[in-house]
Amino acid sequence: MTDHDSVPSFAVMGHPNEGKSSVVSTLAEDDSVRVTPTPGETTECRSFPVIIDGREIIRFVDTPGFQAPKKTLVWMKSYKGTGDQIVSAFCEANKNNPIFSEEHKLFTPISRGAGIIYVVDCSRPLRRNDKTEMEIFRMTGLPRMAVINCKTHEDQYLSVWKNELLKHFNTIRIFNALNASYAQRIDLLESLKGIDPDLQFPLESVITAFKKDWERRNDESAEIICHMLCRCIEYRVSKILTDSSKMQSAEKNQMETTYKNKIEKIEKTSHTQIKKQFKHNIFNYELPPQSILHEDLFSTRTWQVLGLTPGQLAAAGAFAGGIMGAVLDKAAAGLTFGLFTAIGGAVGAGSAFFGAEHMAHISVVGQKIGGTKLTVGPNKNIQFLYVLLDRALIYYSHVINWAHGRRDNPDNLSGDLKHTRTKMGFSSSLTTSQKKICSVFFKSVRSKDPVRKEKSRRALMNIIKTILDDISSSEHRHI
Ligand SMILES: Nc1nc2c(ncn2[C@@H]2O[C@H](COP(=O)(O)OP(=O)(O)OP(=O)(O)O)[C@@H](O)[C@H]2O)c(=O)[nH]1
Ligand SMILES: [Mg+2]
């Protein structure tokens, strides 16, 4: 059903505290909707439009819960006018009636043409008031769908609820406002088409717009991830040592810390940009308590669980050319023993710091007048690419599955990661040709040839995009 201005509109209605506002928040991807444990939180109807490309394509109206359902039903049963006018007649007759102040508000959107989404928590017993509310909806004769939003895993009441709902609604969907994925939201829209033939066409366009917008977000996210990878792989930090023999360990540590902080900052920025793509603006997105992303990027644990296995790395030729170690530039030849030791120390510290992966590339790139230039990075271990990629993909998978109606931490969706040594990221499932593209990208990022660089970047982008599309359409929640 469409409102006066042809934008499909749905009023989300029901008993107080059943999760109506949470459903609106998730469907409209709007975390500004007020959701609280206090019954009667929503006191006014409020429209939440979904805007794509600057155009409102659908709107969901949050409504207060019923306050006087029994009396409303009595009024409706005594109504003598034409059936299809019953809601407008109720609104007209009761606009100043304090008994029906809430009902007047919540009927107003449907009197203007909005379809009905009736939200019920079927994890609790069915009560007489629920039957009354359902009867009211049946009497409106308006297009309606019941949405079962179970607050707990209790399912002993479900069949009783379903039997009752089926008497009053022709479409019933299970939709959890706190866990619904993108695919489930699209499914819900698909089934809304069934509640009114007039909705078929407009909702078809809404679904197409949703899918196109999601594709755009995935394209954008692939760009963000690729850009982050390029910056991290290229990054190096240099320092001129005026008197190399006196290089203090504090200075060495500081260079490593600078390197590490910068990489972490680049990564964090990219995650924030991904989060924005998916309209998480107000609440700080919380990772599931056992996510591997709680581990530091450079922790041993991260490197154990993410990236490729040693076998896969060897097969991908990652060890060729001794790139796993710290490499002293040729310019280091002739350095004093003192500096050499200092570099050795820095490399040692780097090894521990990088989870014993020996991935820091520390080089002396020249002895300038008045000092020697010591450089940390760029990281030449390809595992760095895979670990960063895995972390970005895992982050993406959490963000897209973080329903906007959720106000707390997600459930523990993963198993116990403490002891696993198995690779659990996405990269360990890449095909041989995809890994080859990653290798080419890894080498080309630092290449001076912009054409080669861009070509390999595009190829990697396509891989990332394919993975993002797969994650979007899968129900699987990642670590
Ligand atoms: N565990 C769980 N809690 C839920 C679910 N849906 C909503 N809640 C919680 O239930 C409480 C009420 O949710 P709201 O969305 O505000 O409910 P409402 O129907 O809009 O409530 P009123 O506006 O007061 O009528 C909030 O604390 C929600 O976080 C659910 O599926 N599972
Ligand atoms: Mg509410």
Side-chain angles (χ1 to χ4, degrees):
M1 231 178 181
T2 56
D3 215 325
H4 295 317
D5 49 8
S6 83
V7 173
S9 173
F10 295 92
V12 180
M13 306 172 80
H15 204 67
N17 212 36
E18 296 288 271
K20 301 178 296 296
S21 300
S22 310
V23 167
V24 170
S25 181
T26 294
L27 286 176
E29 289 189 300
D30 189 329
D31 48 13
S32 73
V33 182
R34 278 188 72 87
V35 170
T36 73
T38 321
E41 178 63 34
T42 307
T43 53
E44 298 295 332
C45 287
R46 195 177 147 199
S47 248
F48 291 90
V50 176
I51 294 167
I52 294 180
D53 291 336
R55 193 171 62 90
E56 183 181 2
I57 59 156
I58 188 170
R59 79 178 64 117
F60 298 98
V61 186
D62 195 13
T63 68
F66 278 100
Q67 290 303 320
K70 240 190 267 170
K71 287 183 179 144
T72 306
L73 187 59
V74 170
W75 189 97
M76 289 177 110
K77 283 191 169 162
S78 65
Y79 170 70
K80 297 280 182 299
T82 39
D84 61 350
Q85 297 298 312
I86 192 164
V87 174
S88 339
F90 178 90
C91 288
E92 188 52 37
N94 295 298
K95 58 181 167 209
N96 297 315
N97 184 349
I99 297 173
F100 293 127
S101 61
E102 295 306 289
E103 279 69 18
H104 176 262
K105 281 187 219 166
L106 64 94
F107 274 4
T108 302
I110 55 172
S111 73
R112 292 181 181 157
I116 296 166
I117 296 178
Y118 175 55
V119 177
V120 280
D121 170 14
C122 297
S123 60
R124 62 161 180 85
L126 177 75
R127 301 189 198 107
R128 199 174 305 148
N129 259 358
D130 301 314
K131 290 189 185 182
T132 309
E133 286 171 11
M134 290 187 216
E135 181 63 8
I136 291 171
F137 286 124
R138 199 184 57 75
M139 288 196 73
T140 65
L142 295 171
R144 58 198 180 276
M145 172 199 255
V147 162
I148 298 175
N149 174 54
C150 287
K151 286 194 183 177
T152 69
H153 296 299
E154 192 66 68
D155 62 1
Q156 58 172 310
Y157 310 111
L158 201 56
S159 61
V160 178
W161 269 104
K162 274 188 186 161
N163 286 340
E164 197 60 34
L165 286 167
L166 280 170
K167 292 183 201 161
H168 305 89
F169 296 83
N170 41 15
T171 311
I172 301 172
R173 295 288 307 188
I174 292 181
F175 181 83
N176 191 290
L178 271 52
N179 288 331
S181 62
Y182 157 73
Q184 287 164 340
R185 279 191 285 128
I186 295 284
D187 267 2
L188 189 84
L189 291 174
E190 286 283 358
S191 36
L192 274 174
K193 285 196 296 194
I195 69 170
D196 180 359
D198 290 350
L199 278 172
Q200 286 264 351
F201 182 70
L203 278 180
E204 205 61 72
S205 333
V206 170
I207 292 166
T208 308
F210 258 97
K211 289 183 175 167
K212 249 179 85 182
D213 189 54
W214 196 267
E215 225 177 283
R216 180 199 57 73
R217 294 184 201 182
N218 277 356
D219 284 344
E220 205 60 51
S221 300
E223 272 289 355
I224 292 166
I225 295 171
C226 229
H227 183 65
M228 176 273 294
L229 292 172
C230 288
R231 289 190 68 202
C232 288
I233 294 167
E234 280 174 317
Y235 182 68
R236 67 176 75 197
V237 55
S238 300
K239 187 167 186 170
I240 306 284
L241 301 173
T242 43
D243 185 353
S244 52
S245 61
K246 285 194 191 141
M247 183 178 165
Q248 299 297 308
S249 71
E251 274 182 305
K252 293 176 267 162
N253 290 346
Q254 205 194 337
M255 278 183 79
E256 286 177 351
T257 307
T258 309
Y259 177 86
K260 180 186 166 200
N261 289 349
K262 179 71 182 182
I263 296 285
E264 284 175 342
K265 199 166 162 213
I266 296 171
E267 190 195 37
K268 198 156 189 258
T269 305
S270 71
H271 290 185
T272 308
Q273 288 169 333
I274 293 173
K275 190 178 86 166
K276 282 243 171 315
Q277 288 296 319
F278 294 90
K279 303 190 183 175
H280 289 287
N281 299 317
I282 296 178
F283 294 97
N284 235 347
Y285 167 71
E286 301 275 357
L287 291 162
Q290 296 210 344
S291 172
I292 184 67
L293 295 190
H294 287 297
E295 289 282 341
D296 201 74
L297 165 63
F298 296 110
S299 86
T300 308
R301 195 78 202 102
T302 296
W303 284 63
Q304 267 169 357
V305 175
L306 304 181
L308 303 192
T309 63
Q312 287 174 323
L313 278 174
F319 297 113
I323 55 167
M324 289 284 276
V327 182
L328 284 179
D329 208 274
K330 283 197 181 67
L335 286 172
T336 65
F337 183 69
L339 178 57
F340 209 93
T341 316
I343 294 168
V347 173
S351 305
F353 163 85
F354 290 124
E357 297 289 337
H358 298 274
M359 59 184 236
H361 174 104
I362 304 212
S363 62
V364 177
V365 292
Q367 284 177 287
K368 303 196 167 179
I369 301 162
T372 304
K373 194 175 174 191
L374 188 71
T375 300
V376 176
N379 191 330
K380 293 200 173 173
N381 182 350
I382 195 169
Q383 186 77 310
F384 187 47
L385 163 68
Y386 291 120
V387 169
L388 282 169
L389 179 60
D390 275 343
R391 283 169 60 91
L393 296 173
I394 291 169
Y395 186 82
Y396 165 89
S397 123
H398 285 313
V399 162
I400 64 159
N401 286 311
W402 172 269
H404 287 71
R406 179 153 225 152
R407 297 288 185 271
D408 56 347
N409 274 339
D411 296 336
N412 179 3
L413 299 165
S414 55
D416 184 359
L417 288 172
K418 277 194 197 87
H419 306 296
T420 181
R421 294 188 70 87
T422 326
K423 291 292 181 190
M424 299 189 76
F426 292 86
S427 63
S428 59
S429 314
L430 292 173
T431 63
T432 308
S433 65
Q434 287 175 325
K435 278 184 279 203
K436 202 169 159 211
I437 288 171
C438 289
S439 292
V440 172
F441 168 81
F442 191 65
K443 280 181 211 135
S444 316
V445 169
R446 288 181 297 262
S447 144
K448 298 245 180 321
D449 177 352
V451 178
R452 187 177 150 213
K453 210 166 156 173
E454 182 53 22
K455 200 172 150 204
S456 71
R457 201 185 71 86
R458 289 260 139 233
L460 184 74
M461 272 269 294
N462 288 337
I463 293 177
I464 297 174
K465 181 71 200 327
T466 310
I467 302 174
L468 299 188
D469 289 343
D470 282 353
I471 300 173
S472 302
S473 53
S474 126
E475 288 301 316
H476 178 67
R477 308 294 168 100
H478 226 275
I479 48 176

